[in-house]
DNA sequence: CTACAAGCTCAACTTAACTTGAGGTCAAGC
DNA sequence: GCTTGACCTCAAGTTAAGTTGAGCTTGTAG
């Protein structure tokens, strides 16, 4: 099949809403890839748009570029991702996303519970109690957070 | 009523799992507060533990200290928060938390949908389509993200 | 009463994630 | 064929969120 139109860095920037400098940066970090024209300018395949979309959404919810990069490793470098490729990425991420979602819910509902239960002491707080298992199993850190 | 035991910075650090330096930092940023002994040492009320718990949980899900500080403004400085105080904080945050949760779900399920629908082009991706309303309403930025 | 762990302040360093700027190249329109 | 906007590289600056270290003070246990 005829190659779909390639995109310049400026076009990707415009379409994805990400600065050119950020795209350069992502490329340096291995999150996206381009090839070069004879004049050394970057050209991107269309799949870069979806990659950037995922990068931004993931970042927005507090996932670091390093983690995103790791997850994106499961996508192929050379070609447009297939259904199977997405499947790999999705399952690789599902756990950590589920975990983050449950943590957010806990924060949201935990606050509500604190109101409902009327507890004034941190020691009896339902938000706190979730972590108590943890506090017995290791150093002081991480309690109060959802179990990992 | 007799004042509940106050905590030193070291005790708060141990019980909350946060470094002493971080507590100093949070205080400098107005996220927590202490009073001083005659010897200029910090003393914290017990409510600081819950504050720190909330700070850490919120940070863990990608909320910045600035946002957390803003939310914590609704908690009283001088006394242990009442049910009413928590209520204010909770409702102030609920929207942004709900929004983040839905964004995370969109990321998680969006990936799955991409697999399910088999779409290979960003232009037809369900993850993408959510943002299309936005792309018509302003600059290029922010599309692909959940609407705010 | 003295040793020494725990505190204090302030400045400087660190990492992540970019942005800005300088100085130079490419390519599309007139 | 040249001008002008888009690109290129590389270095340095920026903001957030802390950490580390130096130099000095406090408070508690023996």
């Amino acid at each position: 099949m005829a190659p779909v139109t390639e995109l310049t860095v400026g076009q990707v920037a415009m379409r994805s809403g990400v600065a050119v400098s950020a795209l350069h940066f992502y490329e340096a970090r291995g999150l996206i890839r381009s090839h070069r024209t004879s004049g050394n300018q970057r050209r991107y395949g269309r799949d870069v748009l979806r990659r950037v979309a995922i990068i931004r959404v993931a970042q927005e919810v507090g996932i670091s570029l390093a983690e995103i990069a790791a997850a994106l490793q499961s996508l192929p470098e050379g070609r447009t991702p297939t259904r199977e490729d997405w499947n790999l990425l999705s399952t690789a991420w599902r756990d950590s996303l589920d975990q983050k979602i449950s943590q957010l819910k806990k924060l949201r509902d935990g606050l509500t519970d604190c109101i409902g239960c009327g507890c004034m002491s941190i020691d009896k707080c339902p938000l706190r109690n979730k972590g108590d298992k943890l506090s017995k199993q290791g150093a002081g850190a991480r309690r109060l957070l959802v179990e990992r």
Side-chain angles (χ1 to χ4, degrees), chain A:
Chain A
M1 35 181 113
V4 189
T5 339
E6 305 229 276
L7 300 162
T8 67
V9 69
Q11 289 170 328
V12 174
M14 205 171 1
R15 300 191 55 153
S16 67
V18 166
V20 169
S21 60
L23 293 172
H24 285 182
F25 182 75
Y26 293 159
E27 189 170 327
R29 289 303 187 80
L31 288 139
I32 57 178
R33 224 180 53 135
S34 65
H35 64 89
R36 302 302 180 100
T37 64
S38 56
N40 196 36
Q41 298 199 349
R42 289 169 177 84
R43 285 304 121 90
Y44 297 92
R46 314 203 116 247
D47 61 312
V48 79
L49 291 175
R50 190 126 91 200
R51 265 178 182 260
V52 173
I54 288 177
I55 292 167
R56 301 306 292 197
V57 174
Q59 271 200 303
E60 186 77 7
V61 295
I63 302 176
S64 72
L65 281 193
E67 289 177 84
I68 298 168
L72 289 180
Q73 293 314 304
S74 62
L75 291 185
E77 282 301 339
R79 58 193 167 69
T80 300
T82 65
R83 178 177 311 206
E84 184 57 26
D85 297 324
W86 286 110
N87 199 4
L88 279 172
L89 171 54
S90 178
T91 57
W93 247 1
R94 180 173 298 269
D95 279 358
S96 97
L97 291 179
D98 281 345
Q99 211 233 309
K100 236 171 230 298
I101 289 171
S102 91
Q103 189 139 359
L104 264 171
K105 283 185 177 160
K106 198 158 290 183
L107 177 56
R108 185 194 57 185
D109 302 338
L111 291 175
T112 307
D113 288 351
C114 278
I115 297 161
C117 76
C119 64
M120 295 304 146
S121 159
I122 185 70
D123 298 312
K124 287 154 202 112
C125 177
L127 187 58
R128 158 66 182 263
N129 286 340
K130 300 303 184 179
D132 274 354
K133 300 165 206 151
L134 287 187
S135 67
K136 302 200 166 130
Q137 102 191 349
R142 293 266 107 97
R143 21 182 201 190
L144 312 176
L145 298 181
V146 94
E147 45 280 317
R148 325 190 129 238

